[in-house]
Amino acid sequence: MKNIIDERLKTYATNTIEDEEHALKEILQEVALYGLANANFFDKAVFHGGSALRILYGLPRFSENLDFLLKSPNPHFKWEPYVDSIVATCKQYGVHPEITDKSRVSSAVKKMFLKDSSIGKIIDLSFIHHPERKLMIKFEIDTNPPLGSNLDVKFPEFPLDYSVVAQDLCSSFAGKCHALLCREYIKGRDWYDFTWYVARKISPNFVFLEHALRQQGPWVNQKNNVTPAWFVDVMEKKIKSIDWDRAANDVAPFLNVQDKKILNLWGVDFFMDKLGKLKIVL
């Protein structure tokens, strides 16, 4: 089984230790997703966020976490029923992870952490991955997700063929727009993703966005009618408020050398231009 992971790593252009670590982490994410699928996790849950965009839809940047939504709210959700399947699947590929389940913590977002130091011991690497250095993946699932999300079924091929239920791109774009408007700190990865959606002429799912805005953020419990005009107005204000150097520095470690050059363009004018090119369909 080791050769499968070894061959997978060769498909990445790893020019630095950081590139190699991102690639190894993504391989581990894919193995963990396969383990979740084997436990019928996607009967109840939906894959979304940056890793979903990366693994299922080809987003150029790397992502750190595996993020999910429940299809139906359930405050009593636990990761525990899925841990054995993840561990067993990882072991098939020579990976022996440590898993810490934080789902007992009282929060709508239930977390779990997977750490591994064995993967660097079983792969013949071009760059040395320190055996004592651990990769970590954080799993998060929203047990009380906003209404209005639409779903898509995708079929990854690594490590073997399996199916994943994911948010469709319009709904995931709406979730990203919610993060852009409501996140309390600057995350350049959000803005990079925004340009990716715009370039693909994806229109946000305004039904999902409206429910998300009412549930969390400055507009919580307000009955705003989230129209395209309202959205463009608040986005213009947000774009003018951002420290773009800080935003670019956040996303830079997750990009390859070529994509990093784009960050020199980042600023108010650049993102106002992107907003003007946004495709909006109600």
Side-chain angles (χ1 to χ4, degrees), residues 61 176 179-180 183 187-195:
R61 74 166 178 89
K176 185 60 63 176
L180 291 172
R183 200 184 294 278
K187 189 173 180 180
R189 283 161 280 178
D190 289 339
W191 290 99
Y192 180 86
D193 296 353
F194 176 77
T195 68

Side-chain angles (χ1 to χ4, degrees), residues 227-245:
T227 65
W230 180 89
F231 174 72
V232 169
D233 180 61
V234 294
M235 282 291 289
E236 287 179 350
K237 293 175 182 175
K238 176 61 72 170
I239 288 169
K240 292 174 182 177
S241 74
I242 296 293
D243 179 339
W244 289 109
D245 288 338

Side-chain angles (χ1 to χ4, degrees), residues 48 167 169-181 183 190 197 204-205 208-209 212:
H48 81 119
Q167 270 192 320
L169 285 176
C170 293
S171 301
S172 66
F173 190 13
K176 185 60 63 176
C177 291
H178 177 263
L180 291 172
L181 293 173
R183 200 184 294 278
D190 289 339
Y197 284 110
N205 173 350
F208 182 69
L209 177 58

Side-chain angles (χ1 to χ4, degrees), residues 5-263:
I5 294 181
D6 203 3
E7 290 301 314
R8 184 66 167 178
L9 185 63
K10 291 176 183 178
T11 65
Y12 291 84
T14 55
N15 299 311
T16 67
I17 292 294
E18 290 73 22
D19 288 344
E20 183 183 271
E21 186 162 319
H22 282 311
L24 286 168
K25 185 177 287 189
E26 187 164 285
I27 291 169
L28 194 56
Q29 287 175 337
E30 291 178 298
V31 172
L33 282 172
Y34 180 55
L36 286 171
N38 286 341
N40 300 316
F41 176 72
F42 295 104
D43 290 349
K44 297 180 178 179
V46 178
F47 190 24
H48 81 119
S51 293
L53 294 181
R54 168 78 181 178
I55 293 170
L56 303 180
Y57 297 102
L59 179 72
R61 74 166 178 89
F62 285 102
S63 183
E64 293 183 300
N65 305 330
L66 293 175
D67 298 312
F68 306 94
L69 307 169
L70 283 182
K71 293 180 181 178
S72 301
N74 177 10
H76 305 295
F77 172 87
K78 296 287 188 297
W79 282 108
E80 185 177 1
Y82 307 101
V83 169
D84 287 348
S85 181
I86 294 173
V87 171
T89 303
C90 286
K91 286 182 177 179
Q92 289 179 36
Y93 298 95
V95 179
H96 302 276
E98 305 167 17
I99 292 183
T100 305
D101 184 357
K102 296 288 188 179
S103 57
R104 290 182 178 84
V105 176
S106 179
S107 170
V109 177
K110 305 295 185 181
K111 300 179 182 181
M112 178 174 68
F113 296 88
L114 183 152
K115 296 181 182 179
D116 175 73
S117 60
S118 63
I119 193 167
K121 299 175 184 177
I122 66 169
I123 302 176
D124 182 16
L125 303 177
S126 299
F127 292 86
I128 297 173
H129 180 76
H130 304 293
E132 72 279 2
R133 188 173 182 180
K134 293 187 177 182
L135 300 174
M136 185 178 76
I137 299 172
K138 180 168 69 172
F139 298 66
E140 291 190 342
I141 187 164
D142 187 346
T143 63
N144 186 32
L147 300 174
S149 183
N150 295 320
L151 306 182
D152 198 2
V153 178
K154 306 294 286 186
F155 298 93
E157 298 176 334
F158 179 83
L160 295 169
D161 289 317
Y162 63 102
S163 64
V164 171
V165 178
Q167 270 192 320
D168 76 334
L169 285 176
C170 293
S171 301
S172 66
F173 190 13
K176 185 60 63 176
C177 291
H178 177 263
L180 291 172
L181 293 173
C182 300
R183 200 184 294 278
E184 295 179 352
Y185 57 92
I186 296 174
K187 189 173 180 180
R189 283 161 280 178
D190 289 339
W191 290 99
Y192 180 86
D193 296 353
F194 176 77
T195 68
W196 183 84
Y197 284 110
V198 171
R200 279 148 190 79
K201 304 187 186 305
I202 306 299
S203 177
N205 173 350
F206 280 97
V207 174
F208 182 69
L209 177 58
E210 184 169 315
H211 283 291
L213 289 169
R214 289 181 184 178
Q215 187 170 309
Q216 189 270 328
W219 296 276
V220 66
N221 295 326
Q222 296 182 23
K223 294 185 178 180
N224 286 331
N225 185 13
V226 181
T227 65
W230 180 89
F231 174 72
V232 169
D233 180 61
V234 294
M235 282 291 289
E236 287 179 350
K237 293 175 182 175
K238 176 61 72 170
I239 288 169
K240 292 174 182 177
S241 74
I242 296 293
D243 179 339
W244 289 109
D245 288 338
R246 186 175 173 185
N249 288 337
D250 171 79
V251 72
F254 299 90
L255 302 178
N256 61 36
V257 174
Q258 187 65 32
D259 284 338
K260 285 180 182 178
K261 295 178 181 178
I262 299 170
L263 300 179

